[in-house]
Amino acid sequence: MDIFKSLDQYTKQIKDRIAASAAAVCVMKDNEIIHEWYSGNHHFHNGARKIDESSQFNVYSTRVTYVGLAAAIAINDGAVKSLDDPISKYIPFYDNIILGNTTIRHLVTRTTGLQFQGNGSVVRKYKEGTFFEGKKPEVLAAVIKNATGKTVAEIINERVLKPLGLTQTEWRTEGKETLVCDINDPNSYPTLRLESNEGSDRNLYVTARELALWGNLHLNRGDFNGQQILPKDLFENVTSIMTPDTLPVHLPRLGYFWWIQDKHVTNSEIGPDLPEGTYQILGASGCSCTVIPNHKAVVVRMTNSLWTFGGKNGFDYIADIQKFGYLVEQALNEYSKVHC
């Protein structure tokens, strides 16, 4: 569709700039896919498969929203008492004194103030709720497993993927032809990240269509084709600001790992042109899912380069995703004018 040509062209420019072999765009509005675009190959070497609607990209940090939803399900089911439960209640193998008053809320909003060491120890770097930090999905996954007896993947497969009939969203431990390789640079041999199938590792592979459907399920508050898959208020919590008030106002506001549009925030991945209520998640491979309730729309962008966050070639990933958001808002406004 010509209205979305600017998204495709810009994504192609970024694909080439960050030395990605593959890219895709998928736009949903009013529960329908209204635009798709696919470009490139699964890797740079001879015989590489062309990108199409069945190509599964490694979405990297975009996976944390799946961990977040599993946590919300555990709370809804009563296995976890509340978002403000201390994490020490569920992961007693860390020093409880250092964990202190750190809660699940701090985990999902990236404000724990903790640094978990590779040797199984934990160090407090900041007071909880006062500093914005990196994601810790593996810690939340441990909380979920100890509380429910199930892994993140088991919960999401049982409660979401199977009811929706999504078969191309997978935590892969083995390769297959539809997986898109990770590309570090155009001369490197393509690789696949294959880890555990428990649901917190960086091996979640998803098609552009199914990532859009994931966003659309959140947009519809758990309703899928007239069937309420999970309670509405569960999704309202997941996609509303849950960040504690103790975090300085200029720092990012999150739901359950989703970045939430907030005009007071000066340090955000979400572009200022996108309306209030927008929420978004972005991964290191350049894959993103942007949900815009104001337009009843979901926009997914996929690439497969790990240069995205590397700072090489002067690439600014924040400026990139914000420019993409600007083009999304322009295109959706134009679409609304034509189809009003």
Side-chain angles (χ1 to χ4, degrees):
M1 185 176 291
D2 287 345
I3 289 173
F4 297 103
K5 188 176 181 179
S6 62
L7 296 184
D8 305 341
Q9 290 177 333
Y10 179 73
T11 301
K12 176 64 165 60
Q13 291 172 12
I14 294 301
K15 167 182 170 290
D16 295 340
R17 183 175 180 185
I18 64 177
S21 72
V25 173
C26 183
V27 181
M28 288 191 72
K29 182 168 171 55
D30 299 319
N31 303 317
E32 298 287 341
I33 293 175
I34 59 172
H35 177 73
E36 288 179 284
W37 172 84
Y38 298 95
S39 175
N41 300 287
H42 283 219
H43 53 78
F44 288 117
H45 293 262
N46 290 336
R49 190 176 188 271
K50 287 190 176 297
I51 295 297
D52 60 25
E53 65 277 3
S54 67
S55 298
Q56 294 169 271
F57 288 76
N58 188 328
V59 295
Y60 280 82
S61 288
T62 303
R63 77 190 190 282
V64 299
T65 59
Y66 295 73
V67 182
L69 188 62
I73 291 170
I75 292 171
N76 179 76
D77 290 352
V80 174
K81 184 178 179 182
S82 80
L83 192 63
D84 293 308
D85 261 9
I87 64 175
S88 59
K89 180 177 176 181
Y90 302 98
I91 45 174
F93 37 85
Y94 290 109
D95 188 323
N96 283 355
I97 295 176
I98 296 175
L99 294 182
N101 295 319
T102 305
T103 66
I104 297 169
R105 180 185 300 274
H106 294 125
L107 270 179
V108 300
T109 60
R110 299 170 55 176
T111 58
T112 68
L114 298 171
Q115 185 177 82
F116 290 85
Q117 308 290 315
N119 61 5
S121 64
V122 61
V123 175
R124 178 155 297 283
K125 305 291 288 187
Y126 303 93
K127 181 176 174 55
E128 65 274 1
T130 64
F131 181 79
F132 188 72
E133 65 202 15
K135 300 168 286 292
K136 298 174 173 62
E138 72 284 353
V139 179
L140 183 57
V143 168
I144 293 167
K145 188 173 183 179
N146 288 339
T148 66
K150 294 183 178 181
T151 67
V152 168
E154 287 171 337
I155 292 170
I156 296 300
N157 275 314
E158 176 187 339
R159 305 291 289 276
V160 181
L161 303 184
K162 287 182 181 178
L164 267 62
L166 302 184
T167 60
Q168 294 174 310
T169 300
E170 303 175 284
W171 290 270
R172 295 295 304 181
T173 59
E174 297 180 354
K176 68 174 188 177
E177 67 174 359
T178 54
L179 303 188
V180 180
C181 295
D182 302 341
I183 302 297
N184 288 305
D185 67 67
N187 298 314
S188 70
Y189 193 81
T191 60
L192 290 174
R193 186 178 291 270
L194 302 170
E195 298 177 339
S196 84
N197 61 357
E198 293 204 353
S200 66
D201 288 331
R202 290 174 293 182
N203 62 329
L204 177 61
Y205 290 83
V206 189
T207 63
R209 285 181 180 179
E210 290 205 355
L211 186 56
L213 287 167
W214 174 256
N216 202 55
L217 181 69
H218 287 69
L219 175 63
N220 288 330
R221 299 292 191 260
D223 181 276
F224 180 71
N225 292 336
Q227 180 183 358
Q228 196 69 38
I229 301 297
L230 289 165
K232 181 179 179 181
D233 58 355
L234 183 155
F235 284 92
E236 289 174 347
N237 289 330
V238 164
T239 59
S240 296
I241 293 174
M242 291 293 155
T243 299
D245 294 337
T246 52
L247 190 73
V249 294
H250 67 284
L251 293 176
R253 263 44 197 172
L254 270 64
Y256 282 54
F257 288 121
W258 289 94
W259 291 63
I260 311 294
Q261 181 69 295
D262 186 322
K263 298 299 185 182
H264 296 99
V265 171
T266 57
N267 180 18
S268 178
E269 291 180 359
I270 302 181
D273 302 287
L274 289 167
E276 290 283 347
T278 297
Y279 45 98
Q280 177 176 280
I281 191 68
L282 169 67
S285 57
C287 298
S288 64
C289 181
T290 304
V291 183
I292 314 167
N294 190 57
H295 290 292
K296 297 182 180 178
V298 178
V299 180
V300 162
R301 184 186 73 169
M302 301 291 219
T303 67
N304 67 325
S305 174
L306 296 181
W307 277 21
T308 307
F309 279 50
K312 299 180 181 180
N313 298 333
F315 185 73
D316 184 339
Y317 80 92
I318 294 290
D320 162 48
I321 196 62
Q322 290 187 342
K323 173 65 178 295
F324 185 73
Y326 167 75
L327 295 173
V328 164
E329 179 66 8
Q330 277 196 322
L332 289 173
N333 283 331
E334 182 62 27
Y335 182 89
S336 295
K337 289 177 183 177
V338 173
H339 295 84
C340 64

